[in-house]
């Protein structure tokens, strides 16, 4: 595309987005495989997850969440 057309493309893409997108489209989505209670996180679960390896494009790592959890110490970075 010639550089001279970039401004027009930008304007049209902006108009397209403004006409179709809502504020809800910008809300983050947390895509989880399961919600677990921390009591369910056991060595047996770890071993079962290892059977699903190797992870990659066609087999992503599972993502879990736990509610009402508090850190016992600040995270290490």
């Amino acid at each position: 595309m010639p550089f001279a057309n970039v401004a027009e493309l930008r304007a049209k893409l902006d108009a397209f987005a403004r006409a179709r997108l809502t504020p809800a489209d910008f809300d983050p989505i947390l895509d989880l495989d399961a919600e677990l209670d921390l009591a369910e996180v056991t060595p047996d679960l770890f071993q079962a997850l290892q059977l699903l390896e190797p992870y990659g494009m066609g087999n992503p790592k599972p993502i879990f969440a736990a509610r009402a959890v508090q850190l016992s110490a600040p995270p290490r970075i």
Side-chain angles (χ1 to χ4, degrees):
M1 167 186 300
F3 181 76
N5 296 350
V6 171
E8 180 183 355
L9 174 64
R10 182 177 292 143
K12 287 185 179 185
L13 287 173
D14 185 61
F16 179 86
R18 288 178 188 276
R20 288 170 178 79
L21 298 177
T22 67
D25 291 315
F26 296 94
D27 288 344
I29 297 173
L30 185 57
D31 191 17
L32 302 173
D33 291 300
E35 186 175 318
L36 300 175
D37 186 82
L38 288 184
E40 297 175 276
V41 181
T42 63
D44 289 338
L45 174 64
F46 181 73
Q47 288 176 351
L49 292 174
Q50 284 184 314
L51 295 175
L52 300 175
E53 293 178 349
Y55 299 117
M57 273 182 90
N59 188 29
K61 286 185 179 181
I63 300 173
F64 302 104
R67 293 187 187 266
V69 176
Q70 293 183 347
L71 294 175
S72 60
R76 288 195 244 174
I77 298 178

